[in-house]
Amino acid sequence: MGLQTNGLSLEVVGREITGRPVQGKPRRPAGPFLLGLPALLLSCVLLVPIGVTVVKAFVTNQHFGFGNFAVIGDPAALHAVGNSLLWVLVACGTVAVGFSLALLSYRLPAVTTLLQPALVIPFAVSVLVSGATFRMIFDPTPERGTITAVTTRLFGSSPVWLGPGLFWIVLMSAFGWTWLGYVVSLFRAGLDAIPDDVSRTLAAEGVRGWKRLWALEIPLLRPITGVVTLTLVIAAVRVFDLVLIVVPGSMQRSADVLGLNWWRASTTNADSGRTAALGVVLFAIVAAVGLIGVRGLRRRRWAMPVAVVPLEPTLRRPRPRPVVRRLGWFIGSAVALVWVLPAVVLVATALHSPREAGLRGWWSPSGLGFSSFAAAANVGLFRALLSTLVIATAATAVLLVIAVPTAYLVAWGGLPPRVGRVAMAVFVVLAVTPVQMYAAPLRDAIDAAGLAGSRVSLALVHAAAGLPFAVLLLRSAFASAPPAVVSEALQGPVRQSAVLATVQRTYRPALIAVAVLEFALVWNDFIVGFLISGPGTTPLSLVLWGEARQFSTSSGPVAAAAVVASVVPVVLLLSFWRTVVRGLTTGSRP
Amino acid sequence: MPSSRRALLGAAATLLLTGCSSDVLGLRRAVRVAVSWSGEELRAFHKVLHGLGALSYPVEVVPLGDDISTAFDAPAARRPDVVMLPQPGLVREHWRDLAPMPDDLAPLGQVRLWRNLLVQQGQTYGVPFKTAHKSAVWYRPSVFRQVGVQPPQHWSDWLALNRTLTQAGVTPLALGAGDGWVLTDFLENILLGIAPSVYVGLATAAHPRPSQQPQFGAALRLLGTMWSAPGALAGGVKESLVQQFPDALVEVFGHRRAAMVLASDFAEPVVRSFAADPDDIGLFTFPPMSAGAPAPVVVGGDVMVLAAPISDNSRDLVRRLAAPAAVDPWIAEGGFLVDRRTSGYSPELTRLAEQLTMPGGQLQFDLSDLLGALGGINGLWRVLTDFLIAVGGRGTDAVPDAVVAAMSAMRKVETS
C-alpha cells in the first residue's frame, strides 16, 4: 500500500510479530502428538544403530572405556583424520568463494542471467559423475586431458595432475564445481531479501564498501551462512566416492579420508569396536561443526520484514549504469562458460566411440556417434536406472508423508517447548550424522530380517536419513508463517486441516525443495547403497563405478553412463531451482 | 495444464508398475554374480550370460572391482551367490564361507596348479573359469625392426635391448603402476625365474615372510636395475604411477610412445581396439633369467565359487557357466584363456595357451594372490609402489638403498 502526499512517498510495510499472538498457556490436546509417531518410528531406523555403534565404540573386551580410540594413534588413521579436517577447510573455502561470487553478482546484477543455470547443473549431478568428469579433464596424457593439453602447449611440458600432491587440485575442483552453485544461489537469495530501506539508510549514513559488508551483509546473512556451511562441511567430511573415483590406486593411501579408512577397516574384517570408534570420531568432527552452524541459525538478531505489497518499481534497487550492466554481463558469461565446460567435456566424450574417447580427447572430430551409449547399455545400465527410479521415488514419497506432519507438530502442533527443543536437537544431530555411524548395525539388521538386496529397505533407509533435514527445513518454513494466519486457522473449527491447508498453500517452496532435493540425493547416492545394501543391489552409481575401474580406456562408456544418469536430476533441479532456493532460504530464516 | 500433468503422472505410474512387476524391486531372488571385471571384460561376460539362453531366474552381475574379497566378509544373507574370484588364494582362507562344488563339477577344480588352492578337506570349493597368463610382454614389432633388435632370449638380453632402444630414442617400457598388481606381476616373474623353490616356499607357507628370503631381495635388485635405467619408463615415474594397465597399453599401441608393456593375455581386447596399426602387434613371453634356465610362467585366473548357503538356481548357473561352450562368446571377443584348451584363440593367445599346457614348464600360481592381505593393496602393492618411486629413472646407484628400504617396509607389513 503506497501513499503519496506533498511529494513524500509513504509505504505501509507489515512486520513479523515474534512470539505467540495470544499470551498464556495454551490448551494442549493429545491428538497432534500422534503426528510425530511415524517420524519417531522412522528415526529409530537410525537412532538404534547409532546407539549400537556408540556402545560398541566404548566397549573393549567387555570393559567400558576409550580403549578402541587408540585406533586414532595408528598413523594411517591419523593421516585420514588430518585429511578429513583438511576437507573441512576446503568446505569453508568454498563458502567464502561462493559468498564473494554472490556479492559480485549482487553488485553487478546482469551477471546472473547465464550464470544461474550454469551453476545449477553441477549441483544436480552426482559426486561420482563430477569426479569422473574432472578425472577426464585432468587426465595425464595430453591427447585426452584438457588441462594437460593446455599446460603442455603453454609450457612445453605438464605436471602430472593426478600425481602425488596434485590430485588435491583435481579433488578440490570437483568438489567446488559441485557445490559452488548451491552456495552462490543461497547467498544471492539472502542478499536479494535485504530490505532496500535498510540499504538506503546505511548508504545515507555513509556506510560503504568493507564497512557496509561488515555492518550489513555479513550479519544479515548469518542464518544462511549457517545452513550453507553446515551442508558443505557435512559433504566435505563425508567425501568418499569422490576420492574412490578420482584418485588413482597408487595414490589413494595419501588421499585417505576417515570415511574411506572406516570402509577399508570394516571390509577387512578388522575389530568392529575399532571401526565403530572411527565412526564416532568422524561423527564428532561433523557434530562439532554442525553445532557451531546451528548456533548461527538460532540467533534471532533480525526479523525480516514481510513485504505485504510488492514494491513499486521506482522504489526497487536502482538499475545499474549501462557500463556496469555490460561488465556484469561479460563477467557472468565468462564465468558461466568456464562453469559449463566440464559438462560439455562429459557430453562430448560420451558422443565419441569408446576407442576414440580412450585414445583422444573430447575435442577430437573423429569417432563421433552413439556407440559409447550402446556400450554403457550393455552392462545393465537401464535395469539399474529403473531400480534407481523406484528407490528414489519410494524414498521421496515416504519422506514427504512422514516429514510434513512432523514439521507441523514441531512448529505449530503445541508441543511443550522443552520437548520441542529436544526433538529439534535430535534432528540436528541426526542430520549431520555420517552414514558410517549407522551403516554396519543397520545392514546386519536388514540381513537378519531377510531383506538383503531389497530396494524397499534401501528406500526406507534413505527416507530415514533424509528425514532430519526435511523436518528442520519444513519446520522453519512452517514457523515463519505469519502467526496471524496460523492463529486464525488454529481457532477455526477445522483446526489442523485448515492449518495444513494454509501450510500447503503458503509453504509450497519448502515442500518442493524437500521433495526435489531428496529425489536428487537418492538418485545420485552411492555411499548409502554401497555401505548398507552392499554388493546386492546395483543402483546406477554402482554401474558407473564398475565402468570407471579402467578409467581412461572406458572413458566413453563412463561418460555415456554419467550423462544418462544425470539427465533426470539435472532436468528436475533446473526446472525447480528457483522454488528450491526459495524453500531453502525460507527455511534458514529465524 | 492439469490434463498434461495427469498424463505425466499416469505415465510415471505405469513405468513404476512395469518396473515393480520385474525384479527391479529386488523381491524376486536373483542369482547374484560378483565379478571384478569392468569395461570390455564386463561386457564380454554379459555376452557369455546372454549366450546361456533363457534362464528361469534373474541373474544380477555385481561388479566389485579390486574389492572383490569383500564379497565374503558380508554376512551370509548379503553375500553374492556366485563369486568370480580373481584371487583363488582366498579360497584357502574363506572355504568355511563357501559351499562345495557339486560332484559333477568337482573334477574341474582338481587339476594341477588349481588343486592346492581349491581343494580343502577333501572337498572342492571352486572351478577355474578363466585362466590368465601373467608372463606375456606385448610389443610393437615395427620398432624392434627399425632399431634392429629381436625379442630378448634372457634377462640380461632384455636389459641390453632396453639400452639399445633408449639410445635409438625409443622409450622401452610402459608401466601401469596405477594398478598394484602390474608391479607384483613383474616381481613375481623375476622371483620365479631366479629362485623357483623360494617362490614355491612362499606360496605354500602358512605365514609367508618374503623379507627373510635373500632371493626376494635379489629379485627386487634385478627389478630395480630395469626400472632405474634413465628413460626406461614412458612418462617417467610420475606418469606411470597414475597409469592403469589399459593406459599403459594405449601408450604403447595407441600413442606409440613406448615399445613394450608387460601385460597378461586379457590385455588383448584393449591392444586390438586401441592399436593405431592393427598389424603392428607382437608378443613375447617373459624371458628366462639366464640362458638355459626355464622361462617363468606366472598363472592367474578367476575361479567360480559358490557362497554358502547355496540355492538350486546358483548351482544351475555355475553348471551352465562351466560348460566348455559357455565361454565361446568371450573367446571370440579375445583376451580369454580357458584351462587346458589350446584352440580357438588368436595366434598370440594360442602361443600363450600352449605354453600353459607345455609339460615341464616353470609354471606357478600368482604369488601375490596367495599371500592374502600381504600381497594386496596395503602390502606388496604399496611396497613396490614406493620402490618404483625410489628407483624409477634414477640410475643403478639408487637401487641398493631402495632394496633395503623395501625389505624393511615388507618386514613391517609382515608383522602388522
Side-chain angles (χ1 to χ4, degrees):
Chain A
M1 210 185 337
L3 199 68
Q4 281 206 325
T5 156
N6 294 342
L8 202 73
S9 162
L10 296 173
E11 187 199 343
V12 182
V13 178
R15 188 169 283 262
E16 194 180 351
I17 308 164
T18 48
R20 288 182 175 277
V22 183
Q23 295 296 314
K25 207 176 174 190
R27 222 162 30 89
R28 294 209 169 92
F33 285 86
L34 290 177
L35 291 175
L37 200 61
L40 190 68
L41 290 177
L42 191 63
S43 299
C44 284
V45 170
L46 302 187
L47 284 172
V48 175
I50 290 173
V52 172
T53 304
V54 171
V55 172
K56 240 184 210 162
F58 284 99
V59 175
T60 341
N61 304 325
Q62 302 184 338
H63 287 294
F64 213 68
F66 286 90
N68 286 326
F69 288 87
V71 56
I72 297 305
D74 172 39
L78 205 63
H79 183 73
V81 172
N83 277 349
S84 287
L85 289 174
L86 199 64
W87 270 108
V88 173
L89 280 185
V90 171
C92 297
T94 313
V95 173
V97 172
F99 181 74
S100 352
L101 262 181
L103 211 58
L104 179 78
S105 78
Y106 180 63
R107 299 269 159 88
L108 302 170
V111 164
T112 28
T113 10
L114 282 170
L115 196 55
Q116 189 72 23
L119 287 174
V120 174
I121 293 171
F123 181 65
V125 305
S126 75
V127 177
L128 222 51
V129 170
S130 68
T133 311
F134 274 79
R135 188 159 171 184
M136 282 170 202
I137 294 174
F138 283 95
D139 192 286
T141 40
E143 284 83 2
R144 288 187 302 246
T146 318
I147 303 280
T148 310
V150 170
T151 41
T152 310
R153 183 66 59 84
L154 286 180
F155 307 107
S157 69
S158 170
V160 181
W161 291 105
L162 286 163
L166 294 179
F167 62 79
W168 277 103
I169 294 178
V170 186
L171 284 173
M172 288 194 297
S173 319
F175 185 84
W177 189 64
T178 305
W179 283 103
L180 218 53
Y182 170 85
V183 180
V184 172
S185 300
L186 257 63
F187 276 130
R188 185 59 213 270
L191 286 168
D192 286 338
I194 292 177
D196 285 336
D197 51 350
V198 179
S199 309
R200 269 198 294 270
T201 315
L202 279 184
E205 285 174 9
V207 182
R208 284 170 202 288
W210 288 106
K211 256 167 123 185
R212 181 187 144 103
L213 190 69
W214 290 115
L216 179 73
E217 275 115 6
I218 289 183
L220 274 186
L221 290 182
R222 190 166 280 143
I224 289 180
T225 315
V227 169
V228 168
T229 316
L230 198 62
T231 344
L232 258 80
V233 166
I234 294 166
V237 179
R238 284 177 177 178
V239 162
F240 174 89
D241 31 5
L242 190 63
V243 177
L244 272 183
I245 200 157
V246 168
V247 183
S250 54
M251 240 78 61
Q252 290 224 341
R253 185 182 13 144
S254 37
D256 205 9
V257 287
L258 259 180
L260 262 178
N261 197 281
W262 177 92
W263 172 63
R264 292 247 156 75
S266 73
T267 49
T268 49
N269 262 344
D271 175 23
S272 63
R274 193 196 114 104
T275 44
L278 272 178
V280 171
V281 170
L282 184 61
F283 172 66
I285 295 178
V286 190
V289 183
L291 287 177
I292 298 169
V294 171
R295 247 170 59 86
L297 285 187
R298 281 239 188 94
R299 278 188 197 159
R300 290 160 178 262
R301 286 258 178 99
W302 194 272
M304 286 254 183
V306 179
V308 176
V309 189
L311 288 175
E312 259 184 49
T314 49
L315 290 175
R316 289 211 190 123
R317 280 208 297 148
R319 267 170 78 82
R321 283 171 295 133
V323 180
V324 176
R325 271 217 314 280
R326 263 202 297 279
L327 185 69
W329 189 87
F330 182 74
I331 294 178
S333 321
V335 178
L337 262 182
V338 173
W339 220 252
V340 287
L341 191 66
V344 172
V345 169
L346 191 71
V347 175
T349 308
L351 287 173
H352 281 82
S353 70
R355 176 192 146 91
E356 281 305 313
L359 217 48
R360 275 174 277 274
W362 53 278
W363 58 86
S364 148
S366 54
L368 287 169
F370 291 96
S371 50
S372 282
F373 286 92
N378 282 343
V379 288
L381 184 62
F382 289 105
R383 191 172 180 284
L385 208 64
L386 207 57
S387 121
T388 307
L389 180 70
V390 169
I391 294 174
T393 313
T396 310
V398 171
L399 179 76
L400 281 185
V401 166
I402 295 184
V404 171
T406 314
Y408 163 76
L409 172 71
V410 185
W412 298 111
L415 219 55
R418 192 170 297 162
V419 180
R421 270 202 298 276
V422 170
M424 289 321 289
V426 170
F427 279 131
V428 168
V429 170
L430 279 182
V432 300
T433 308
V435 191
Q436 283 85 352
M437 272 298 277
Y438 48 81
L442 199 54
R443 67 181 177 210
D444 292 346
I446 292 175
D447 292 342
L451 288 171
S454 105
R455 271 70 164 156
V456 179
S457 56
L458 191 56
L460 262 184
V461 174
H462 271 300
L467 183 71
F469 182 70
V471 171
L472 288 175
L473 191 67
L474 288 174
R475 181 211 68 117
S476 307
F478 289 2
S480 66
V485 178
V486 177
S487 60
E488 258 172 43
L490 275 174
Q491 269 138 33
V494 277
R495 294 192 310 206
Q496 269 94 47
S497 59
V499 175
L500 279 178
T502 318
V503 156
Q504 197 269 341
R505 201 175 59 244
T506 327
Y507 310 109
R508 240 177 160 169
L511 278 176
I512 291 177
V514 165
V516 168
L517 288 179
E518 172 77 0
F519 187 90
L521 203 72
V522 178
W523 182 279
N524 287 334
D525 168 70
F526 174 80
I527 181 166
V528 175
F530 188 66
L531 294 183
I532 301 215
S533 265
T537 42
T538 53
L540 203 48
S541 40
L542 275 181
V543 172
L544 250 181
W545 188 50
E547 272 299 287
R549 188 174 165 231
Q550 298 176 353
F551 198 86
S552 21
T553 46
S554 317
S555 55
V558 167
V563 167
V564 172
S566 304
V567 167
V568 170
V570 165
V571 168
L572 195 68
L573 275 166
L574 273 182
S575 29
F576 286 104
W577 188 245
R578 279 171 184 284
T579 326
V580 167
V581 169
R582 218 153 9 112
L584 280 171
T585 42
T586 358
S588 69
R589 248 180 234 171
Chain B
M1 284 326 260
S3 63
S4 74
R5 181 180 293 171
R6 201 161 295 157
L8 189 73
L9 285 175
T14 326
L15 196 66
L16 270 182
L17 277 177
T18 45
C20 299
S21 64
S22 80
D23 44 306
V24 167
L25 273 181
L27 296 174
R28 205 164 138 228
R29 191 81 172 80
V31 175
R32 286 175 291 161
V33 186
V35 302
S36 64
W37 305 311
S38 58
E40 290 306 320
E41 292 184 291
L42 190 57
R43 264 183 282 284
F45 182 61
H46 275 277
K47 281 195 182 125
V48 169
L49 284 176
H50 193 71
L52 296 181
L55 302 172
S56 58
Y57 43 87
V59 176
E60 197 167 4
V61 180
V62 186
L64 287 183
D66 289 330
D67 302 298
I68 186 112
S69 59
T70 60
F72 296 121
D73 296 322
R78 209 175 53 242
R79 248 174 239 157
D81 304 277
V82 179
V83 183
M84 296 291 182
L85 196 61
Q87 291 142 290
L90 285 176
V91 171
R92 284 204 303 223
E93 288 172 40
H94 288 282
W95 63 272
R96 280 178 200 82
D97 299 322
L98 302 176
M101 281 289 148
D103 288 341
D104 52 322
L105 292 180
L108 291 175
Q110 293 166 0
V111 289
R112 71 166 179 168
L113 282 185
W114 303 94
R115 189 186 303 123
N116 294 338
L117 306 173
L118 305 180
V119 180
Q120 297 292 325
Q121 313 270 316
Q123 294 271 23
T124 308
Y125 285 93
V127 292
F129 179 72
K130 179 178 188 301
T131 308
H133 186 300
K134 301 196 130 195
S135 305
V137 182
W138 298 80
Y139 74 103
R140 278 189 293 132
S142 67
V143 181
F144 278 32
R145 274 198 302 275
Q146 196 185 320
V147 183
V149 287
Q150 295 286 321
Q153 298 303 311
H154 48 83
W155 176 257
S156 50
D157 204 11
W158 195 359
L159 292 178
L161 164 67
N162 286 358
R163 274 196 299 276
T164 315
L165 286 173
T166 317
Q167 276 156 16
V170 179
T171 311
L173 282 175
L175 189 65
D179 291 319
W181 52 264
V182 172
L183 305 180
T184 59
D185 282 0
F186 230 122
L187 180 73
E188 283 157 13
N189 274 296
I190 298 176
L191 185 62
L192 181 59
I194 58 168
S197 55
V198 173
Y199 188 102
V200 175
L202 285 173
T204 49
H207 298 287
R209 292 280 164 92
S211 69
Q212 292 178 4
Q213 306 290 343
Q215 290 86 348
F216 187 79
L220 273 175
R221 239 185 324 276
L222 288 171
L223 183 63
T225 315
M226 181 176 279
W227 285 353
S228 66
L233 302 177
V237 171
K238 276 187 186 163
E239 211 165 298
S240 300
L241 279 177
V242 296
Q243 253 171 24
Q244 293 181 292
F245 102 93
D247 304 347
L249 296 168
V250 172
E251 281 294 293
V252 173
F253 294 96
H255 302 313
R256 299 198 262 195
R257 277 192 285 251
M260 12 172 196
V261 51
L262 177 84
S264 313
D265 59 290
F266 53 78
E268 190 187 22
V270 183
V271 171
R272 297 214 188 278
S273 58
F274 287 95
D277 176 2
D279 298 322
D280 191 17
I281 297 169
L283 180 140
F284 62 86
T285 52
F286 207 95
M289 295 312 288
S290 54
V297 181
V298 176
V299 182
D302 301 75
V303 294
M304 258 190 291
V305 296
L306 283 161
I310 187 176
S311 72
D312 287 343
N313 287 344
S314 41
R315 202 177 286 126
D316 179 67
L317 184 69
V318 167
R319 205 168 269 138
R320 285 166 188 262
L321 284 172
V327 291
D328 284 351
W330 198 334
I331 290 177
E333 293 282 306
F336 192 90
L337 289 177
V338 183
D339 212 31
R340 291 180 298 166
R341 172 169 166 179
T342 51
S343 59
Y345 307 117
S346 66
E348 284 83 9
L349 257 59
T350 308
R351 273 173 52 205
L352 296 180
E354 279 166 356
Q355 196 184 22
L356 285 178
T357 45
M358 206 157 50
Q362 190 53 265
L363 248 67
Q364 283 301 333
F365 203 83
D366 187 330
L367 179 64
S368 61
D369 284 355
L370 301 175
L371 295 177
L374 193 58
I377 187 162
N378 283 322
L380 198 53
W381 291 16
R382 180 194 285 194
V383 172
L384 285 180
T385 306
D386 289 341
F387 182 69
L388 171 65
I389 295 171
V391 300
R394 290 171 199 251
T396 38
D397 295 347
V399 177
D401 288 345
V403 171
V404 172
M407 291 298 263
S408 78
M410 204 64 216
R411 256 192 301 282
K412 229 177 264 171
V413 184
E414 285 162 9
T415 49
S416 68

